[in-house]
Short mmCIF file of all heavy atoms in Angstrom, two decimals:
data_model
loop_
_atom_site.label_atom_id
_atom_site.label_comp_id
_atom_site.label_asym_id
_atom_site.label_seq_id
_atom_site.Cartn_x
_atom_site.Cartn_y
_atom_site.Cartn_z
N ASN A 87 -2.17 -12.21 31.09
CA ASN A 87 -3.10 -11.90 30.11
C ASN A 87 -2.41 -11.26 28.94
O ASN A 87 -1.82 -10.14 28.99
CB ASN A 87 -4.10 -10.83 30.68
CG ASN A 87 -5.19 -10.61 29.66
OD1 ASN A 87 -5.01 -10.78 28.46
ND2 ASN A 87 -6.35 -10.10 30.12
N SER A 90 -3.15 -7.63 27.66
CA SER A 90 -3.01 -6.56 28.52
C SER A 90 -1.79 -5.75 28.22
O SER A 90 -0.60 -6.22 28.40
CB SER A 90 -2.91 -7.06 29.95
OG SER A 90 -2.33 -6.04 30.81
N LYS A 197 -21.19 0.98 11.34
CA LYS A 197 -21.06 0.31 12.61
C LYS A 197 -22.22 -0.72 12.78
O LYS A 197 -23.30 -0.63 11.96
CB LYS A 197 -21.19 1.25 13.78
CG LYS A 197 -22.35 2.13 13.82
CD LYS A 197 -22.24 3.09 14.97
CE LYS A 197 -23.42 3.98 15.15
NZ LYS A 197 -23.26 5.02 16.08
N LYS A 319 2.61 13.22 5.99
CA LYS A 319 3.83 12.71 6.58
C LYS A 319 4.99 13.39 6.00
O LYS A 319 5.06 13.84 4.95
CB LYS A 319 3.89 11.08 6.25
CG LYS A 319 4.91 10.41 7.08
CD LYS A 319 4.73 8.92 6.93
CE LYS A 319 5.81 8.18 7.68
NZ LYS A 319 5.50 6.76 7.79
N ASN A 390 0.72 28.22 18.18
CA ASN A 390 1.57 27.15 18.48
C ASN A 390 1.96 26.40 17.24
O ASN A 390 1.16 26.06 16.41
CB ASN A 390 0.93 26.14 19.47
CG ASN A 390 1.74 24.99 19.80
OD1 ASN A 390 2.22 24.23 18.83
ND2 ASN A 390 1.93 24.72 21.07
N TRP A 392 3.10 23.49 16.58
CA TRP A 392 2.77 22.08 16.46
C TRP A 392 1.20 22.00 16.08
O TRP A 392 0.85 21.22 15.27
CB TRP A 392 3.01 21.33 17.68
CG TRP A 392 4.45 21.36 17.94
CD1 TRP A 392 5.12 21.97 18.97
CD2 TRP A 392 5.50 20.62 17.21
NE1 TRP A 392 6.55 21.74 18.89
CE2 TRP A 392 6.71 20.91 17.85
CE3 TRP A 392 5.49 19.85 16.11
CZ2 TRP A 392 7.91 20.45 17.33
CZ3 TRP A 392 6.65 19.30 15.53
CH2 TRP A 392 7.92 19.61 16.22
N ARG A 399 -1.56 19.47 8.05
CA ARG A 399 -1.65 18.02 7.75
C ARG A 399 -3.17 17.70 7.48
O ARG A 399 -3.45 17.07 6.42
CB ARG A 399 -1.13 17.17 8.88
CG ARG A 399 0.33 17.10 8.96
CD ARG A 399 0.77 15.80 9.78
NE ARG A 399 0.20 15.75 11.14
CZ ARG A 399 0.72 16.45 12.08
NH1 ARG A 399 1.80 17.17 11.98
NH2 ARG A 399 0.21 16.26 13.33
P DA C 6 9.47 15.42 21.20
OP1 DA C 6 9.28 14.45 22.25
OP2 DA C 6 10.45 15.24 20.14
"O5'" DA C 6 7.98 15.67 20.39
"C5'" DA C 6 7.03 14.66 20.63
"C4'" DA C 6 5.64 15.16 20.21
"O4'" DA C 6 5.32 16.33 20.85
"C3'" DA C 6 5.68 15.33 18.73
"O3'" DA C 6 4.38 14.86 18.26
"C2'" DA C 6 5.58 16.91 18.67
"C1'" DA C 6 4.79 17.19 19.82
N9 DA C 6 4.99 18.60 20.35
C8 DA C 6 6.13 19.33 20.49
N7 DA C 6 5.85 20.59 20.90
C5 DA C 6 4.45 20.53 21.09
C6 DA C 6 3.65 21.64 21.47
N6 DA C 6 4.04 22.89 21.85
N1 DA C 6 2.37 21.33 21.46
C2 DA C 6 1.86 20.10 21.07
N3 DA C 6 2.61 19.18 20.64
C4 DA C 6 3.87 19.38 20.76
P DG C 8 4.76 12.30 10.97
OP1 DG C 8 5.24 11.21 11.75
OP2 DG C 8 5.42 12.64 9.65
"O5'" DG C 8 3.16 12.04 10.59
"C5'" DG C 8 2.49 13.10 9.96
"C4'" DG C 8 1.07 12.56 9.62
"O4'" DG C 8 1.29 11.33 8.87
"C3'" DG C 8 0.27 12.12 10.88
"O3'" DG C 8 -1.14 12.54 10.52
"C2'" DG C 8 0.36 10.65 10.92
"C1'" DG C 8 0.64 10.22 9.46
N9 DG C 8 1.53 9.16 9.42
C8 DG C 8 2.70 8.86 10.04
N7 DG C 8 3.24 7.78 9.73
C5 DG C 8 2.46 7.20 8.82
C6 DG C 8 2.51 6.02 8.08
O6 DG C 8 3.33 5.14 8.16
N1 DG C 8 1.42 5.83 7.22
C2 DG C 8 0.35 6.73 7.13
N2 DG C 8 -0.54 6.41 6.18
N3 DG C 8 0.32 7.80 7.73
C4 DG C 8 1.31 7.99 8.46
P DG C 9 -2.22 12.96 11.56
OP1 DG C 9 -1.81 14.25 11.99
OP2 DG C 9 -2.35 11.82 12.44
"O5'" DG C 9 -3.54 13.07 10.68
"C5'" DG C 9 -3.68 14.15 9.79
"C4'" DG C 9 -4.76 13.86 8.86
"O4'" DG C 9 -4.37 12.96 7.80
"C3'" DG C 9 -6.01 13.25 9.44
"O3'" DG C 9 -6.87 14.20 10.05
"C2'" DG C 9 -6.64 12.53 8.36
"C1'" DG C 9 -5.49 12.09 7.53
N9 DG C 9 -4.98 10.73 7.70
C8 DG C 9 -3.92 10.31 8.53
N7 DG C 9 -3.85 9.01 8.50
C5 DG C 9 -4.87 8.54 7.78
C6 DG C 9 -5.27 7.24 7.40
O6 DG C 9 -4.81 6.16 7.72
N1 DG C 9 -6.41 7.20 6.64
C2 DG C 9 -7.03 8.31 6.25
N2 DG C 9 -8.19 8.15 5.51
N3 DG C 9 -6.78 9.56 6.51
C4 DG C 9 -5.66 9.57 7.24
P DG C 12 -17.01 6.40 13.97
OP1 DG C 12 -18.49 6.62 13.76
OP2 DG C 12 -16.29 7.09 15.21
"O5'" DG C 12 -16.71 4.93 14.14
"C5'" DG C 12 -17.24 4.04 13.08
"C4'" DG C 12 -17.16 2.58 13.54
"O4'" DG C 12 -15.79 2.25 13.52
"C3'" DG C 12 -17.70 2.35 15.01
"O3'" DG C 12 -18.29 1.07 15.05
"C2'" DG C 12 -16.39 2.41 15.83
"C1'" DG C 12 -15.29 1.90 14.80
N9 DG C 12 -13.99 2.53 15.06
C8 DG C 12 -13.77 3.82 15.17
N7 DG C 12 -12.51 4.16 15.34
C5 DG C 12 -11.82 2.87 15.16
C6 DG C 12 -10.49 2.58 15.28
O6 DG C 12 -9.59 3.27 15.40
N1 DG C 12 -10.36 1.21 15.12
C2 DG C 12 -11.29 0.28 14.78
N2 DG C 12 -10.93 -0.97 14.74
N3 DG C 12 -12.60 0.57 14.85
C4 DG C 12 -12.80 1.84 14.99
P DC C 13 -18.91 0.44 16.37
OP1 DC C 13 -20.09 -0.28 15.96
OP2 DC C 13 -18.89 1.55 17.42
"O5'" DC C 13 -17.81 -0.56 16.82
"C5'" DC C 13 -17.41 -1.66 15.86
"C4'" DC C 13 -16.51 -2.57 16.53
"O4'" DC C 13 -15.24 -1.95 16.60
"C3'" DC C 13 -16.82 -2.84 18.00
"O3'" DC C 13 -16.81 -4.24 18.29
"C2'" DC C 13 -15.92 -2.06 18.78
"C1'" DC C 13 -14.64 -2.10 17.90
N1 DC C 13 -13.81 -0.86 18.09
C2 DC C 13 -12.42 -0.98 18.17
O2 DC C 13 -11.89 -2.19 18.07
N3 DC C 13 -11.66 0.04 18.33
C4 DC C 13 -12.13 1.27 18.37
N4 DC C 13 -11.37 2.32 18.62
C5 DC C 13 -13.53 1.44 18.30
C6 DC C 13 -14.36 0.31 18.13
P DC C 16 -9.03 -8.46 28.39
OP1 DC C 16 -8.00 -9.65 28.61
OP2 DC C 16 -10.37 -8.52 29.03
"O5'" DC C 16 -8.28 -7.10 28.89
"C5'" DC C 16 -7.01 -6.83 28.38
"C4'" DC C 16 -6.51 -5.49 28.96
"O4'" DC C 16 -7.39 -4.32 28.53
"C3'" DC C 16 -6.64 -5.47 30.44
"O3'" DC C 16 -5.39 -4.99 30.95
"C2'" DC C 16 -7.85 -4.56 30.83
"C1'" DC C 16 -7.70 -3.56 29.64
N1 DC C 16 -9.07 -2.96 29.22
C2 DC C 16 -9.18 -1.60 29.13
O2 DC C 16 -8.19 -0.95 29.33
N3 DC C 16 -10.40 -1.05 28.80
C4 DC C 16 -11.47 -1.85 28.54
N4 DC C 16 -12.60 -1.17 28.21
C5 DC C 16 -11.37 -3.25 28.66
C6 DC C 16 -10.12 -3.79 29.02
P DT C 17 -5.04 -5.00 32.53
OP1 DT C 17 -3.49 -5.14 32.62
OP2 DT C 17 -5.92 -5.94 33.22
"O5'" DT C 17 -5.39 -3.45 33.03
"C5'" DT C 17 -4.81 -2.41 32.27
"C4'" DT C 17 -5.33 -1.07 32.86
"O4'" DT C 17 -6.53 -0.79 32.37
"C3'" DT C 17 -5.44 -1.19 34.39
"O3'" DT C 17 -4.78 -0.06 34.97
"C2'" DT C 17 -6.96 -1.02 34.58
"C1'" DT C 17 -7.41 -0.33 33.38
N1 DT C 17 -8.80 -0.54 32.88
C2 DT C 17 -9.55 0.58 32.54
O2 DT C 17 -9.07 1.70 32.57
N3 DT C 17 -10.82 0.38 32.13
C4 DT C 17 -11.38 -0.93 32.07
O4 DT C 17 -12.52 -1.12 31.67
C5 DT C 17 -10.57 -2.05 32.48
C7 DT C 17 -11.08 -3.49 32.46
C6 DT C 17 -9.28 -1.79 32.89
#
Side-chain angles (χ1 to χ4, degrees):
Chain A
N87 188 340
S90 161
K197 59 184 182 184
K319 194 168 177 169
N390 178 307
W392 297 108
R399 288 199 299 276

